[in-house]
């Protein structure tokens, strides 16, 4: 094990070497007596563990630790503190030190254990960080794959559906019995598959494309939504009211999709005449937008599940759908660094809410980062 000792006192170097040698491990030591020497040796050699003294001439141990963490994120550092330096110990741990040892309780066993633990822990964190990065890459690849597949399947599927429908129109009355039923099944299957592929494409698109953030008037978005949902609203005689809605900072296309999915669900999952209210309140420096309905409601045990992909609580013949709407909503909200949730009980309607950043005044506003 390559151990770097950064300490300005020769006696402490000697003691550390003696203690670790006493435990019988196979160590190679590097000695530094100030910050600069220490950092130089750290960068020149494959160091497994750094024993870092807090009291150093010039820059103290915390400063060195800060620099190493900034450079590498995970460093196998053990902070050596003197008498009454609990504050240093706590700060060092917060900064990213793997451990600390008060010098007064230094024993060969304690030192050996601390070194081994620090090496093991930092190795584990590094491995986890590597897996996380790999997972992120493979997630991205998978997303790209879903996007391409969904995109490329869209037009052939549309062609299949349209031709099946043409056959039904032109030849439908000539077919009988099993053939007529088979054609019906084929039309239904192809239509459902088209809906699935289109929704999947939409879902992948939200994660895939870069959002364009601008100031967006939710009032204007809602007007457009109500216009687009006009036929459904009329058919169900839905009554929709709303608070005065704010301007927010976000992607107008994604936010329109979000609002539309929630309002369409509020109308769909309702046995009576739908009464929907869209509210806007401020909470913890963000807007909290609510879509409240008087529908069938959702049991609290299902509140998390319904945001999952293809998660539905009903059969398609009871309430049509494919179970991607809320997953898309959650993605959109996450891309805006917001939260989404539901408050509901069976038979008591549902309140779906999401949070969005408040649009700053023109002069203050800065480009926002996309998340997710
Ligand atoms: P879909 O509507 O296509 O099934 P969603 O992802 O939009 O997909 O919704 C998932 C499930 O959540 C729905 O199947 C339904 O059971 C439940 N749900 C969504 N919105 C509401 C609502 N407003 N009231 C009651 N249940 C709802």
């Amino acid at each position: 094990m390559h151990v770097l000792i950064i300490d300005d006192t020769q006696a402490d170097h000697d003691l550390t070497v003696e203690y670790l040698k006493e435990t019988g491990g196979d160590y190679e030591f590097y000695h530094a007596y100030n910050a600069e020497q220490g950092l130089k040796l750290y960068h020149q050699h494959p160091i497994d563990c750094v024993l870092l003294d807090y009291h150093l001439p010039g820059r103290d141990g915390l400063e060195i630790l800060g620099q190493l963490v900034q450079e590498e994120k995970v460093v196998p550092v053990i902070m050596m503190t003197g008498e009454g330096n609990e504050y240093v110990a706590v700060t060092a741990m917060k900064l990213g030190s793997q451990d600390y040892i008060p010098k007064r309780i230094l024993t060969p066993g304690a030192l050996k254990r601390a070194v081994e633990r620090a090496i093991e822990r930092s190795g584990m964190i590094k491995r986890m960080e590597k897996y996380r990065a790999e997972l992120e890459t493979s997630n991205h690849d998978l997303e790209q794959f879903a996007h391409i597949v969904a995109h490329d399947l869209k037009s052939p599927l549309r062609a299949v559906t349209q031709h099946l429908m043409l056959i039904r129109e032109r030849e439908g009355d000539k077919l009988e019995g099993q053939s007529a039923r088979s054609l019906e099944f084929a039309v239904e299957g192809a239509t459902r598959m088209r809906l699935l592929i289109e929704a999947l494409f939409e879902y992948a698109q939200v994660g895939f494309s870069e959002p364009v953030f601008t100031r967006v008037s939710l009032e204007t978005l809602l007007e457009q939504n109500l216009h687009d949902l006009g036929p459904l609203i009329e058919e169900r005689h839905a009554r929709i009211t709303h608070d005065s809605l704010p301007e927010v900072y976000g992607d107008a296309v994604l936010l329109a999709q979000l609002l539309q999915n929630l309002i369409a669900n509020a109308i769909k999952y309702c046995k009576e005449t739908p009464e929907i209210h869209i509210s806007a309140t401020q909470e913890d420096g963000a807007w909290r937008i609510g879509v409240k309905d008087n529908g069938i409601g959702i049991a609290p045990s299902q509140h998390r599940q319904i945001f999952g992909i293809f998660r539905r609580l009903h059969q398609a013949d009871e309430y049509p759908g494919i179970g991607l709407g809320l997953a898309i909503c959650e993605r959109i909200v996450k891309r805006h660094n917001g939260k989404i949730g539901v408050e509901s009980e069976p038979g008591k309607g549902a309140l779906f809410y999401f949070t969005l950043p408040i649009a700053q005044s023109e002069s203050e506003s800065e480009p926002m980062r996309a998340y997710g």
Side-chain angles (χ1 to χ4, degrees):
M1 275 181 258
H2 299 248
V3 177
L4 169 63
I5 306 168
I6 311 179
D7 198 313
D8 62 334
T9 318
Q10 185 61 49
D12 285 348
H13 278 262
D14 297 344
L15 193 69
T16 308
V17 171
E18 188 190 317
Y19 275 6
L20 281 176
K21 278 192 173 159
E22 214 178 294
T23 61
D26 183 13
Y27 297 101
E28 190 164 328
F29 296 97
Y30 299 85
H31 298 275
Y33 297 86
N34 58 45
E36 272 57 47
Q37 258 181 356
L39 288 168
K40 197 166 159 198
L41 284 174
Y42 184 82
H43 291 125
Q44 280 172 348
H45 301 278
I47 301 297
D48 296 305
C49 183
V50 183
L51 293 166
L52 179 61
D53 185 25
Y54 169 63
H55 285 294
L56 287 170
R59 301 161 72 190
D60 69 29
L62 287 177
E63 279 181 67
I64 302 179
L65 177 62
Q67 179 168 342
L68 287 177
V69 170
Q70 204 175 22
E71 284 171 12
E72 292 197 16
K73 283 198 191 133
V74 188
V75 278
V77 170
I78 299 170
M79 197 72 167
M80 315 285 277
T81 58
E83 195 86 39
N85 257 337
E86 284 72 19
Y87 161 77
V88 174
V90 173
T91 315
M93 294 300 279
K94 277 190 187 156
L95 264 178
S97 169
Q98 297 300 321
D99 208 344
Y100 70 92
I101 308 187
K103 282 186 178 174
R104 72 192 140 81
I105 62 149
L106 205 62
T107 63
L111 191 58
K112 178 175 185 265
R113 276 194 301 278
V115 169
E116 285 171 357
R117 258 201 323 259
I119 292 174
E120 196 186 304
R121 276 195 57 186
S122 54
M124 202 170 71
I125 297 173
K126 274 184 193 160
R127 281 196 299 278
M128 269 167 54
E129 183 56 34
K130 191 168 155 263
Y131 292 144
R132 199 194 56 74
E134 281 172 6
L135 210 66
E136 212 164 77
T137 313
S138 68
N139 251 348
H140 183 263
D141 290 350
L142 212 65
E143 201 119 301
Q144 197 167 5
F145 176 72
H147 187 261
I148 293 168
V149 168
H151 179 265
D152 290 358
L153 284 182
K154 258 173 29 174
S155 14
L157 247 175
R158 196 175 305 125
V160 170
T161 322
Q162 279 168 355
H163 284 284
L164 281 173
M165 283 173 161
L166 269 179
I167 297 177
R168 185 170 62 179
E169 237 171 67
R170 288 187 195 147
E171 317 282 334
D173 20 342
K174 290 185 204 148
L175 294 175
E176 284 172 7
Q178 194 56 41
S179 302
R181 273 197 296 280
S182 293
L183 182 61
E184 266 327 299
F185 284 145
V187 171
E188 266 172 39
T191 310
R192 188 158 173 76
M193 206 192 292
R194 185 171 57 80
L195 289 176
L196 270 170
I197 294 286
E198 276 172 7
L200 206 58
F201 177 73
E202 227 176 83
Y203 178 76
Q205 179 93 345
V206 177
F208 193 69
S209 55
E210 212 38 63
V212 180
F213 284 93
T214 55
R215 291 164 69 86
V216 179
S217 155
L218 286 186
E219 194 94 25
T220 315
L221 274 196
L222 180 65
E223 260 171 47
Q224 282 165 10
N225 267 326
L226 296 183
H227 178 263
D228 296 343
L229 288 169
L232 181 65
I233 295 174
E234 253 175 55
E235 185 194 324
R236 298 291 316 272
H237 305 290
R239 276 197 295 273
I240 302 180
T241 54
H242 64 92
D243 293 353
S244 151
L245 299 179
E247 279 198 342
V248 292
Y249 215 61
D251 181 301
V253 177
L254 294 182
L255 292 181
Q257 203 175 340
L258 168 66
L259 215 50
Q260 177 147 337
N261 284 359
L262 294 181
I263 298 173
N265 274 355
I267 299 175
K268 180 163 66 168
Y269 295 102
C270 185
K271 290 201 162 91
E272 298 144 28
T273 306
E275 287 187 12
I276 298 159
H277 183 74
I278 295 137
S279 59
T281 46
Q282 283 200 18
E283 186 187 275
D284 299 333
W287 282 109
R288 187 187 202 260
I289 311 297
V291 178
K292 190 173 177 355
D293 64 49
N294 59 336
I296 57 173
I298 305 149
S301 60
Q302 316 276 15
H303 285 186
R304 238 352 285 153
Q305 285 189 26
I306 54 172
F307 291 94
I309 304 179
F310 298 130
R311 283 309 186 97
R312 308 204 66 226
L313 306 180
H314 310 276
Q315 296 296 329
D317 52 3
E318 197 185 356
Y319 294 98
I322 47 177
L324 265 178
L326 288 179
I328 292 175
C329 289
E330 183 169 52
R331 263 197 161 184
I332 294 176
V333 174
K334 275 196 180 154
R335 293 227 95 179
H336 288 79
N337 200 23
K339 284 182 293 187
I340 188 165
V342 60
E343 290 167 9
S344 179
E345 276 180 52
K348 295 194 176 162
L351 165 68
F352 280 86
Y353 63 86
F354 57 89
T355 61
L356 290 175
I358 294 173
Q360 295 163 325
S361 67
E362 211 73 70
S363 56
E364 287 173 88
S365 66
E366 298 172 3
M368 219 182 85
R369 271 196 49 199
Y371 293 79

